[in-house]
Amino acid sequence: MTKPAPRAGWPTPFRPRISASFSYRLHAILAANGLYRRVAARLERAPRAYRAFTTVERVSKERLYGCRMCGQCALPTTGYACPMTCPKQLRNGPCGGVSPDGNCEVHPEMRCVWVIAHERATAAGHGSDLGLLHRPVDHREHSRSSWINYWLGRDDELATDPRSRPLLPIVEVS
Ligand code: SF4
């Protein structure tokens, strides 16, 4: 039986079009600072400029990384492979269905995006990023600019090192 083609718009694993090492260098240029924070705050106060800026972000990141505009970008911690292109949109590593050759359970002809993330991050010396724990996606941020959110500090706790803090508060049950 032939497998139906993925439905348009549904997430499918995406192999980034630019290298991880170049992306890390780019990130260093775009790292949050006072100037970017002021620019981001001004853009948020000007709806037309915000929309134009967000369009540029969407078009460029869609083409380079398969971005789906979740508005809370995980790329710097995943070897610049977008976890939102995982058909299950898993942000904390692959599901249990990855095939022994590293392909996706949902699209067996494609490489699992988390395998791609692992290959890219380790090759660029950022393998330890993959141990970070990501908070759940806030879908209210969908279609908003992740660059602006990042510059305004909204991503500060997007991913944490689970070894640096208890995962859950201890609740006494009487
Ligand atoms: S903003 Fe979200 S959807 Fe876009 S590349 Fe980053 S993680 Fe992926």
Side-chain angles (χ1 to χ4, degrees):
M1 193 170 75
T2 52
K3 186 174 173 296
R7 284 173 62 175
W10 283 37
T12 49
F14 189 92
R15 187 178 285 280
R17 292 203 162 93
I18 55 174
S19 73
S21 52
F22 180 73
S23 302
Y24 287 115
R25 286 202 295 278
L26 207 54
H27 183 77
I29 297 169
L30 295 172
N33 60 33
L35 174 65
Y36 289 143
R37 218 173 350 265
R38 284 194 294 280
V39 170
R42 290 187 75 147
L43 284 168
E44 266 206 337
R45 289 197 299 271
R48 286 175 68 173
Y50 183 94
R51 274 197 302 277
F53 183 85
T54 306
T55 300
V56 171
E57 174 177 340
R58 182 178 58 72
V59 170
S60 57
K61 285 175 65 183
E62 209 172 71
R63 177 140 188 82
L64 297 175
Y65 303 109
C67 175
R68 300 182 61 81
M69 293 299 284
C70 73
Q72 47 232 282
C73 196
L75 287 179
T77 59
T78 58
Y80 286 84
C82 173
M84 302 306 283
T85 70
C86 161
K88 301 176 189 181
Q89 301 200 319
L90 299 179
R91 305 253 307 187
N92 280 297
C95 71
V98 184
S99 69
D101 60 0
N103 280 6
C104 173
E105 178 181 44
V106 180
H107 302 295
E109 71 286 3
M110 295 174 158
R111 197 139 186 85
C112 165
V113 73
W114 275 104
V115 174
I116 296 173
H118 182 265
E119 291 166 346
R120 287 168 59 89
T122 49
H126 287 259
S128 60
D129 291 348
L130 298 170
L132 296 174
L133 184 66
H134 287 255
R135 73 180 182 213
V137 177
D138 181 349
H139 290 287
R140 291 170 298 184
E141 292 299 320
H142 188 266
S143 296
R144 293 184 58 80
S145 166
S146 67
W147 282 337
I148 290 178
N149 281 342
Y150 163 63
W151 287 330
L152 290 177
R154 295 179 185 136
D155 286 355
D156 285 354
E157 297 209 333
L158 198 57
T160 53
D161 185 340
R163 290 161 303 188
S164 68
R165 60 172 67 188
L167 291 182
L168 293 170
I170 297 167
V171 178
E172 298 279 341
V173 180
S174 55

